Amino acid sequence: MAEKSAVERSRSTVFVVSARKRMLNKIAKTAGEGLLFALASFVAVIVIFIFFFVARDAVPFFQLRGFTEFFTSSNWYPADEPGQFGALAIIYGSLMVTLGSALIAVPMGVAAAICLSDILPFSVRQYAKPVIEMLAAIPSVAFGFFALVVLAPLMQNSGGTMLMWAWWLLVSPFLLLAVIVASDLLTTSIQDEKRRHNRYMLFVTFFGFISLALLFTVGTLLNGIQIITGTNALNVSIILSFMALPTIVSVSEDALQAVGRDIREGSYALGATRAETIIKTILPAGSSGILAAVILGIMRALGETMVVWMASGNSSHIPDPWFNYLEAIRTLTATIAGDMGEADQVTGSARFHVLFAMGFLLLLISFISNFVSERIVIRQRRILSGQ
Amino acid sequence: MNIGTRKILDRSFTAVGIGSIIVMALALMVVVVPIVSNGIGAVFFTGTVEHRKMLRNEFQRGDTQHLASEVASSERYRARVYEILGTFEKELEGMEPALKRQYTSKYAQTRTAIQALLGPLPGDTTPMLTRFKYGQTRWEKAEEKLHDLLYESKWDNSNSEIMGKEYFVSRSNAFKGTSLAPLFPYMKSNIEKMLLPEFTVYWGFITDSSVDSHFFGGIWPEIQGTFFLAMGAMLFAFPLGVIAAVYFTEYARPGFLNSMLRSANSTLAGVPSIVFGMFGLAFFINTLKVSESKSVLAGSLTLAIMILPTIIRAAEEAILAVPKTYREASLSLGSTKWNTIATVILPAALPGILTGGVISLGRAAGETAPIIFTAAVSVGSAIGLADVFSSPTPALSWNIYNLASEHEAAAQLRHVQYGMVFALVTIVLLLNLSAIVLRARISKKMKG
């Protein structure tokens, strides 16, 4: 007996950890975790540093020149003596291309995301996803080069014809659909089947002629347009929209996938078609996620440098009329990229600091929109999981 | 609503979705196809004897004897051109002043056009710039220059409502009756014998450095610079990103601090790339002074900050995708948490982490804005590995911009620009493709 217990005792000492060793272990563990934490919090340090160092060089500009000129004047003559630093036209240019690209990218992106999450079978989706990833991977300078060397001359030489074709191809299917839906809605109240049908055909012909006339007049109008310069806001907006699309598609697809299966099935059970299910139930449920996707996509367009620098024409004025997308414009990012090389020589001047003021403006916008979109995503996740 | 209309709406809704995916695929094609088809032209093209002369003189490549015989045969046909020019110059001397004035500037234009086509004429002083030492090295350019020689381009601005239209006037008519007149038909019919076009495969476009700011030679300094910058960025960002991901997934406890760190990560991911460039200039160069001015090191650090959030996210996802059973099995065998992470979880997550790394590498290679102020120069030779701490480098992305937008002869160098874009797009897309393939294999393996 005694012999056995001795063996047991000697065995058990292997697993007994002395107080000293336990303490050492604990210290090593805390130190290790502390080190990991320090390395992980490096990201936060960088963010603070970026804000600090961009702001540090931006503040002197406002000290030198105040806020009024920067935000309200559109006289941008930084190289003059004394210089004029009105950035209104530049800020406007940035907003203009961002809005333009959003107008193209948001409907397309959301439609594509719906298609990927709800319509296409898995086998097709497998091939569609890499396409979107490749589109996201193409370097911005390659897009810029394309805009400058291929798209700009094309626009300049046959811009009107291109606009006309775009109008025909994009608008005619939607007009046709609108005609059918409008005629249907106007005749639903009629009870008699035969009368209803006759009235329906009448409406279709009537609206059909109106829309055909609209298509033709606007088409010929567009065909007559001569684009003075190929490097303009429209060119940049088109290219930027393709750069923003992958972000919009992938983030909103995630948002749509997060909407549960039960909601979809409930809607189908009530007799809704797929389109009705998507528009009336899935989109409202995923709307906040889609909003977040749109914000992220817009930020991509606003912060893009190379495309706007190469293909926007870099002319600092507000187009006339203000919605004229066929004029050259200038954006914040392009101004920073283009002027830094010369302004860098005169560190300390307003000319140098104004660029940092622009950078800080961009940084603030991106920070706010990021924050908002993140809150939105978190809120959506909480609501969906709470149901 | 009518059931038929509802069906139509349903179908067209599907059509819109599929349509926008197709438009995206088409956009990808429309952008990539011209880049590929024109980019290949930088390596495979119809080269003239001038190209082979250039290779011999600038890079000491090519068969000297064969070249000498080619040059001799082309000179035989060129001699007649020089003879005509000489005769006309003599005739010009003897003309009346009014007539002489009329012809002099036109003759000068013609002579310049011939110089552009065939290189310096006998009796010219050797030009300073290499670009003027040779005639047209590419056959399609030579054909353009031949057209320039045969026709003078003029602009019709008579209608002020529309933009001016270009039209061409034959030069031989301008010199009718003079001894220069036979030059034009002679040039037209004998240009091939003077330039000896022949299909050329110029791999040197990838491996040579450029001569006279990209007029001749290749893009090796840019490719190497891109490689240095991207690899340098990975060197900083990859270990840091993986460690941060391990912390976020394994150690972080939910709470205020953790959510702040996550917010910081997504904020960093959303910062516009040009702002990274400004930060790199203000912090790494002006404050930390990691180098005198622009350097590969400063550029790599800036790029590293830019790709850090992507790496962290990818690594996090990869670690979270490791099945829970692995972890539990390892812990039940008595290994510590750290041991489990280092020997079980990280190896299992490695392919996923590498996928994220490869994609980030592509992003670092393709970005331009962060390196404009921190690392890139427009002209320069390839730098050695020892110079990365102090000297800037040319890089593909920056030089594409520079060559296409700021170079004084941007329109003449389209083939080089296309070649560069093709090289960059190939590098980036190959990296991404390999990541996609890698990920497909992982998911197949996970399914079993």
Side-chain angles (χ1 to χ4, degrees):
Chain A
M1 282 294 272
E3 207 181 281
K4 201 179 172 189
S5 71
V7 170
E8 256 179 10
R9 216 176 295 129
S10 71
R11 262 191 201 149
S12 65
T13 50
V14 176
F15 295 101
V16 168
V17 184
S18 68
R20 197 181 122 81
K21 206 175 173 191
R22 202 180 303 150
M23 203 153 86
L24 273 179
N25 265 346
K26 209 171 181 184
I27 290 171
K29 206 180 146 201
T30 340
E33 266 182 52
L35 188 70
L36 269 180
F37 175 74
L39 285 170
S41 57
F42 190 68
V43 182
V45 175
I46 291 173
V47 171
I48 294 167
F49 269 35
I50 288 179
F51 267 91
F52 175 72
F53 278 95
V54 175
R56 198 187 62 169
D57 275 327
V59 168
F61 172 75
F62 294 115
Q63 281 173 345
L64 280 169
R65 312 283 307 192
F67 287 93
T68 339
E69 188 198 17
F70 186 74
F71 288 108
T72 56
S73 155
S74 55
N75 291 328
W76 175 254
Y77 302 109
D80 283 6
E81 201 57 55
Q84 288 182 286
F85 300 98
L88 182 65
I90 297 174
I91 296 172
Y92 182 78
S94 267
L95 294 181
M96 195 171 167
V97 292
T98 309
L99 181 72
S101 59
L103 282 180
I104 305 172
V106 170
M108 267 182 72
V110 174
I114 291 170
C115 199
L116 281 180
S117 80
D118 275 81
I119 295 175
L120 287 181
F122 182 75
S123 53
V124 183
R125 207 186 312 165
Q126 258 184 326
Y127 295 99
K129 279 227 131 184
V131 168
I132 293 165
E133 271 166 22
M134 302 268 254
L135 204 58
I138 290 182
S140 55
V141 71
F143 274 116
F145 180 75
F146 175 81
L148 178 70
V149 173
V150 182
L151 193 57
L154 205 65
M155 271 196 172
Q156 203 158 331
N157 296 331
S158 51
T161 324
M162 271 170 64
L163 286 178
M164 184 188 73
W165 278 108
W167 165 260
W168 271 100
L169 287 176
L170 285 179
V171 176
S172 49
F174 287 102
L175 265 182
L176 181 70
L177 212 63
V179 167
I180 292 173
V181 171
S183 321
D184 188 299
L185 284 179
L186 283 172
T187 51
T188 33
S189 56
I190 302 166
Q191 295 296 327
D192 180 30
E193 185 61 32
K194 204 172 172 200
R195 242 189 85 209
R196 207 188 71 84
H197 184 75
N198 286 343
R199 191 60 69 81
Y200 178 76
M201 288 324 264
L202 193 74
F203 273 125
V204 166
T205 4
F206 178 65
F207 286 130
F209 269 112
I210 289 182
S211 48
L212 263 183
L214 184 74
L215 278 173
F216 263 113
T217 34
V218 178
T220 30
L221 218 69
L222 287 175
N223 198 18
I225 290 179
Q226 267 225 332
I227 299 181
I228 306 293
T229 167
T231 51
N232 55 29
L234 179 65
N235 182 338
V236 174
S237 298
I238 292 172
I239 300 291
L240 284 185
S241 70
F242 284 110
M243 300 183 71
L245 262 173
T247 314
I248 297 182
V249 173
S250 58
V251 179
S252 37
E253 198 209 337
D254 285 344
L256 291 174
Q257 299 254 320
V259 176
R261 219 186 145 78
D262 42 350
I263 298 182
R264 291 186 169 90
E265 278 165 2
S267 174
Y268 285 132
L270 290 173
T273 63
R274 189 156 62 186
E276 286 159 353
T277 304
I278 290 167
I279 290 172
K280 289 186 181 156
T281 51
I282 300 176
L283 277 187
S287 61
S288 47
I290 291 174
L291 187 66
V294 169
I295 293 174
L296 287 180
I298 285 179
M299 271 321 295
R300 180 101 208 266
L302 183 67
E304 175 49 45
T305 311
M306 294 319 288
V307 173
V308 287
W309 193 17
M310 290 171 96
S312 72
N314 287 329
S315 124
S316 145
H317 74 288
I318 295 178
D320 173 46
W322 57 271
F323 52 83
N324 188 353
Y325 269 87
L326 301 178
E327 273 189 44
I329 47 102
R330 189 185 180 113
T331 68
L332 288 170
T333 48
T335 309
I336 296 173
D339 283 14
M340 189 65 91
E342 288 158 41
D344 197 18
Q345 313 300 324
V346 281
T347 315
S349 68
R351 198 180 167 193
F352 175 74
H353 292 304
V354 71
L355 300 179
F356 276 86
M358 289 174 167
F360 192 67
L361 190 64
L362 281 173
L363 193 57
L364 265 188
I365 299 174
S366 83
F367 176 71
I368 292 169
S369 46
N370 230 306
F371 185 76
V372 169
S373 73
E374 201 182 330
R375 288 290 114 189
I376 290 172
V377 169
I378 289 174
R379 213 189 61 156
Q380 190 209 14
R381 206 173 290 154
R382 202 179 298 149
I383 291 174
L384 284 176
S385 64
Q387 271 175 354
Chain B
M1 224 188 280
N2 196 335
I3 185 76
T5 317
R6 283 174 64 193
K7 265 187 186 161
I8 291 174
L9 271 179
D10 190 37
R11 296 274 154 75
S12 43
F13 187 80
T14 309
V16 168
I18 293 175
S20 50
I21 288 179
I22 290 174
V23 167
M24 251 188 273
L26 279 181
L28 186 68
M29 292 266 288
V30 164
V31 173
V32 169
V33 165
I35 288 174
V36 172
S37 64
N38 289 305
I40 286 174
V43 176
F44 303 91
F45 59 95
T46 316
T48 64
V49 67
E50 297 293 322
H51 174 72
R52 302 189 275 282
K53 257 195 243 175
M54 185 277 293
L55 276 189
R56 183 67 236 159
N57 290 344
E58 308 294 334
F59 297 102
Q60 285 76 47
R61 232 180 278 147
D63 182 357
T64 322
Q65 276 187 341
H66 181 65
L67 181 68
S69 75
E70 274 188 330
V71 169
S73 93
S74 85
E75 283 300 331
R76 261 204 305 286
Y77 288 92
R78 291 177 186 205
R80 170 88 183 116
V81 176
Y82 305 148
E83 191 189 315
I84 295 175
L85 289 180
T87 335
F88 183 74
E89 268 165 36
K90 272 194 204 110
E91 191 187 335
L92 202 62
E93 286 299 310
M95 276 181 192
E96 307 165 25
L99 209 59
K100 186 176 174 182
R101 219 173 303 130
Q102 185 199 329
Y103 277 126
T104 305
S105 73
K106 280 190 178 163
Y107 173 65
Q109 283 177 13
T110 313
R111 200 180 142 87
T112 319
I114 294 180
Q115 273 174 341
L117 200 52
L118 301 179
L121 304 176
D124 287 356
T125 50
T126 316
M128 291 286 285
L129 289 171
T130 320
R131 70 188 75 161
F132 299 124
K133 283 185 189 161
Y134 304 98
Q136 290 305 312
T137 53
R138 297 167 68 89
W139 177 242
E140 83 270 5
K141 295 266 170 197
E143 281 176 323
E144 278 170 30
K145 292 287 174 189
L146 180 66
H147 188 268
D148 287 351
L149 171 67
L150 297 178
Y151 301 95
E152 193 179 354
S153 113
K154 291 202 169 162
W155 289 87
D156 172 20
N157 289 317
S158 55
N159 187 351
S160 60
E161 291 289 304
I162 57 166
M163 275 185 275
K165 271 189 184 151
E166 197 179 16
Y167 66 99
F168 297 102
V169 181
S170 167
R171 262 188 227 272
S172 66
N173 284 343
F175 289 99
K176 213 169 220 172
T178 67
S179 58
L180 197 67
L183 174 81
F184 299 99
Y186 180 79
M187 284 299 282
K188 196 175 178 180
S189 51
N190 290 305
I191 184 72
E192 288 198 28
K193 284 161 191 150
M194 282 185 250
L195 287 175
L196 303 169
E198 148 181 318
F199 181 72
T200 312
V201 181
Y202 179 43
W203 290 116
F205 183 74
I206 298 163
T207 55
D208 285 342
S209 51
S210 90
V211 175
D212 190 10
S213 65
H214 289 292
F215 266 86
F216 306 116
I219 56 170
W220 176 245
E222 282 79 17
I223 293 179
Q224 197 204 33
T226 299
F227 178 75
F228 279 168
L229 283 168
M231 282 320 247
M234 281 308 277
L235 220 59
F236 293 114
F238 191 72
L240 199 60
V242 174
I243 290 173
V246 168
Y247 176 80
F248 280 135
T249 49
E250 301 290 330
Y251 289 95
R253 290 173 208 90
F256 177 72
L257 203 64
N258 186 34
S259 75
M260 281 305 286
L261 284 184
R262 280 180 185 281
S263 280
N265 197 26
S266 64
T267 305
L268 197 62
V271 171
S273 53
I274 189 79
V275 176
F276 281 114
M278 303 183 90
F279 171 69
L281 173 69
F283 182 61
F284 292 126
I285 295 180
N286 288 347
T287 308
L288 281 189
K289 298 199 185 339
V290 294
S291 55
E292 283 278 303
S293 64
K294 294 177 183 178
S295 71
V296 176
L297 178 64
S300 291
L301 286 169
T302 312
L303 286 173
I305 291 178
M306 188 193 71
I307 58 175
L308 190 57
T310 324
I311 293 182
I312 293 180
R313 255 181 220 173
E316 260 188 274
E317 267 174 38
I319 292 174
L320 286 178
V322 175
K324 217 171 175 178
T325 46
Y326 284 33
R327 207 165 311 208
E328 282 160 2
S330 168
L331 287 173
S332 72
L333 288 175
S335 64
T336 60
K337 187 170 186 180
W338 176 243
N339 243 325
T340 309
I341 292 169
T343 57
V344 177
I345 295 176
L346 279 185
L350 192 65
I353 296 175
L354 280 183
T355 311
V358 167
I359 288 175
S360 308
L361 190 67
R363 177 137 188 253
E367 269 296 345
T368 320
I371 61 169
I372 300 173
F373 317 134
T374 54
V377 284
S378 37
V379 279
S381 47
I383 60 168
L385 198 57
D387 296 330
V388 292
F389 297 109
S390 56
S391 61
T393 176
L396 277 175
S397 54
W398 165 251
N399 280 66
I400 291 167
Y401 163 76
N402 188 63
L403 214 56
S405 298
E406 287 185 353
H407 198 281
E408 68 267 25
Q412 286 177 45
L413 298 177
R414 288 286 180 240
H415 59 281
V416 184
Q417 295 157 16
Y418 271 116
M420 270 191 197
V421 179
F422 182 45
L424 183 62
V425 168
T426 312
I427 293 172
V428 173
L429 287 191
L430 275 185
L431 284 175
N432 270 274
L433 262 182
S434 60
I436 289 171
V437 171
L438 197 64
R439 199 177 42 207
R441 289 182 84 178
I442 298 169
S443 70
K444 203 175 267 176
K445 210 168 146 190
M446 288 280 188
K447 274 183 200 157

